[in-house]
Amino acid sequence: MDPSAAFRRWKAQSLSKADLSRKGSVDEDAAEVVRLLNSRERFFTTSSCAGRIVLVDGSSGGFEVQKQNCSWLLVTHKPCGKNDMMVALEKASGDAVLKFEPFVLHVQCRQLQDAQTLHSVAIDSGFRNSGITVGRRGKIMLEVQSSLHLLTTGGPSSLCMLTTGSPVLAASAQHEKFSPHCIC
């Protein structure tokens, strides 16, 4: 099959599917760039996140944050304050995992040159953890992402979160990371 025809078919299929993310829609702060890329003949987005802060109940055991079958105590795509974190921590059945995830965007590109152009823009814009992959069936994917993440554990049963300053420091750290590495 002609590579251009295959790309058009993949794009039509992808853009006609329902949004299967937990939120069920494109983040407001990522919507403009998603619309722009999807309106271009050479690109379409397969997933995006404007950047988020997640506090997950860690009672399931382990430090890894899994999206499936976990209890999300707090999810926000905007910076949050100490009170938001404290209210969410009160719902934890044990330790909680605080995770900051920066802006991420996955774009399927028609040609390698298209991906290289977008990759250069991403790198020049500070998204230094961006990369291109080429699949066995010829799918050319670009991931745009920053290298800055925050992952820490604590909660009602943990001394580190019981100290007066810890939630404030955690809130401060996520505020510092949020601004330059999200598109909000």
Side-chain angles (χ1 to χ4, degrees):
M1 176 182 278
D2 171 31
S4 291
F7 178 82
R8 285 191 302 273
R9 189 183 84 245
W10 290 330
K11 182 173 182 171
Q13 288 173 344
S14 181
L15 297 181
S16 67
K17 288 183 194 174
D19 187 325
L20 299 178
S21 67
R22 192 170 190 151
K23 183 178 173 223
S25 63
V26 173
D27 296 341
E28 181 183 326
D29 290 328
E32 186 176 342
V33 72
V34 167
R35 272 192 302 276
L36 176 68
L37 288 168
N38 289 339
S39 72
R40 300 298 192 254
E41 185 179 310
R42 299 172 177 268
F43 311 107
F44 67 93
T45 60
T46 60
S47 68
S48 64
C49 178
R52 68 181 175 184
I53 298 154
V54 181
L55 189 62
V56 180
D57 194 337
S59 63
S60 60
F63 195 62
E64 281 296 309
V65 176
Q66 298 176 356
K67 290 183 181 180
Q68 301 294 325
N69 303 320
C70 67
S71 175
W72 294 38
L73 304 171
L74 173 72
V75 179
T76 180
H77 292 83
K78 304 284 185 191
C80 65
K82 174 186 173 187
N83 291 339
D84 297 322
M85 281 201 204
M86 294 306 292
V87 167
L89 278 172
E90 288 173 8
K91 297 182 241 172
S93 60
D95 284 349
V97 177
L98 173 66
K99 186 172 185 181
F100 166 75
E101 299 170 328
F103 170 76
V104 64
L105 179 69
H106 295 98
V107 182
Q108 189 166 335
C109 304
R110 189 173 66 180
Q111 296 178 346
L112 185 57
Q113 183 179 352
D114 301 328
Q116 290 169 328
T117 299
L118 275 184
H119 183 259
S120 293
V121 170
I123 296 295
D124 291 346
S125 298
F127 295 98
R128 307 238 183 269
N129 207 30
S130 299
I132 299 169
T133 58
V134 180
R136 283 180 271 155
R137 295 189 304 158
K139 289 185 178 180
I140 302 164
M141 295 295 300
L142 168 70
E143 179 181 49
V144 177
Q145 189 175 50
S146 153
S147 59
L148 296 177
H149 297 262
L150 174 68
L151 179 65
T152 188
T153 188
S157 65
S158 173
L159 289 176
C160 73
M161 289 304 281
L162 288 177
T163 61
T164 308
S166 289
V168 176
L169 290 174
S172 174
Q174 53 90 13
H175 272 278
E176 286 178 26
K177 288 186 174 291
F178 220 106
S179 299
H181 301 285
C182 293
I183 59 169
C184 46

